[in-house]
Amino acid sequence: MKIYDKDFDKVINGVVATGSLTYREAIEKLTPLISKTEFQRKLQDKKFYEKLERDIVNGCVMPPITLAFVEKAINIETQIEKIEAYFNNEYENSFVLDGIQRLNTLLRVSNQENFDFDKKLYFNIIFSDKVDKLLYRMITLNNGQKPMTPRHQVEMLMANVFNFEALGIEVQTEKQRADKIKINSFNKSDIEQAYLAYMANSPMVDNKKIIQDKMDELIVNKIISTEPATQSLPTLS
């Protein structure tokens, strides 16, 4: 395990250290912490993490997790080397503040062929003197704001994938079209919907008769269950 940097969180009066360890170390030291405390989120249906499972096996860099210690002795003056030593000796006394689902997914795929046990997993460690301060930080990490729906996330992705100007076509947002419609221009939302349908491999992405939440679930499940496309994307014309 390696610590790279540290900083001070003035809101919870705690030290935040940033580091990494290998997948092997994470499985050995961190996965036993998954169900350690009663306030941690329960494990979700593994189908929601099937895409992450495949990405891990294919060598992705997994998003960082966050660990926590209720500890007064670590402060901003504590040297990085001492923080490293403290973690290596006391990791069993920490708990997972954010990343339980990712660790559980990592554990599930660790028995697959070609799993890279030496791949790095990055993490943050938060040291605070009271558990309620850590719970506050957990809330802000997981539920601090209303999350975007899967549909919104995919639409944002599509909106930034293509350089329409470089493709030689004119695209307008609904706001721009309300001011003045340009001749031979495309409605940007229509293009986003088309590529959303392409990614989901289904034309049923804008049926107003289907309950919106259910539709979001169907779309994201289709995208997650689809392997990376080997064919070229369709050409806009």
Side-chain angles (χ1 to χ4, degrees):
M1 194 273 288
K2 181 68 175 176
I3 294 292
Y4 303 117
D5 201 0
K6 62 179 179 179
D7 206 340
F8 188 71
D9 187 325
K10 295 180 180 179
V11 175
I12 62 172
N13 294 321
V15 174
V16 179
T18 302
S20 70
L21 73 175
T22 65
Y23 281 173
R24 179 179 285 103
E25 291 173 317
I27 292 168
E28 174 188 343
K29 296 182 178 181
L30 303 186
T31 56
L33 305 175
I34 287 176
S35 302
K36 182 177 180 180
T37 60
E38 61 181 17
F39 50 77
Q40 289 170 312
R41 295 175 65 189
K42 66 180 181 179
L43 295 177
Q44 302 296 310
D45 191 325
K46 67 178 183 179
K47 72 179 182 180
F48 296 115
Y49 295 90
E50 289 175 351
K51 185 66 174 177
L52 179 58
E53 289 183 14
R54 295 196 295 270
D55 284 350
I56 291 173
V57 173
N58 290 332
C60 79
V61 176
M62 196 164 73
I65 66 171
T66 302
L67 307 172
F69 283 93
V70 180
E71 176 56 59
K72 299 179 181 179
I74 302 295
N75 56 57
I76 194 59
E77 303 299 328
T78 305
Q79 296 179 347
I80 286 178
E81 292 78 10
K82 290 185 178 180
I83 296 177
E84 284 185 9
Y86 180 90
F87 176 80
N88 284 318
N89 292 327
E90 303 291 338
Y91 65 87
E92 293 179 341
N93 295 321
S94 68
F95 62 90
V96 182
L97 207 63
D98 181 56
I100 288 177
Q101 312 300 335
R102 277 160 276 166
L103 283 174
N104 191 51
T105 302
L106 183 67
L107 179 62
R108 282 202 308 272
V109 302
S110 61
N111 60 355
Q112 293 195 22
E113 187 177 359
N114 299 324
F115 180 80
D116 186 1
F117 284 93
D118 295 321
K119 188 79 174 175
K120 286 185 178 180
L121 170 63
Y122 296 91
F123 62 86
N124 297 315
I125 307 176
I126 302 178
F127 298 90
S128 188
D129 60 345
K130 293 183 179 179
V131 69
D132 58 342
K133 295 178 180 179
L134 295 171
L135 292 178
Y136 168 80
R137 182 56 68 227
M138 181 172 70
I139 290 171
T140 57
L141 285 170
N142 290 295
N143 302 306
Q145 54 185 323
K146 183 178 178 181
M148 289 187 294
T149 64
R151 171 187 287 266
H152 190 188
Q153 294 180 54
V154 172
E155 286 179 348
M156 286 187 64
L157 173 65
M158 290 297 92
N160 291 281
V161 165
F162 299 101
N163 185 338
F164 296 108
E165 183 176 353
L167 292 171
I169 62 174
E170 190 72 36
V171 175
Q172 287 187 294
T173 64
E174 290 184 5
K175 183 177 180 180
Q176 291 171 332
R177 294 176 74 84
D179 293 335
K180 182 179 180 180
I181 297 177
K182 292 185 179 180
I183 299 177
N184 298 325
S185 66
F186 291 88
N187 190 328
K188 189 174 183 180
S189 64
D190 290 341
I191 295 177
E192 291 171 2
Q193 287 281 19
Y195 276 90
L196 182 64
Y198 173 78
M199 286 188 68
N201 194 28
S202 171
M204 304 294 290
V205 296
D206 197 29
N207 190 338
K208 301 302 182 181
K209 296 180 180 179
I210 299 176
I211 299 175
Q212 188 65 52
D213 288 344
K214 184 61 178 176
M215 195 60 195
D216 288 339
E217 180 181 346
L218 291 173
I219 293 171
V220 75
N221 284 342
K222 281 179 174 289
I223 294 173
I224 290 174
S225 63
T226 301
E227 291 292 338
T230 56
Q231 71 272 30
S232 300
L233 291 173
T235 302
L236 293 173
S237 59

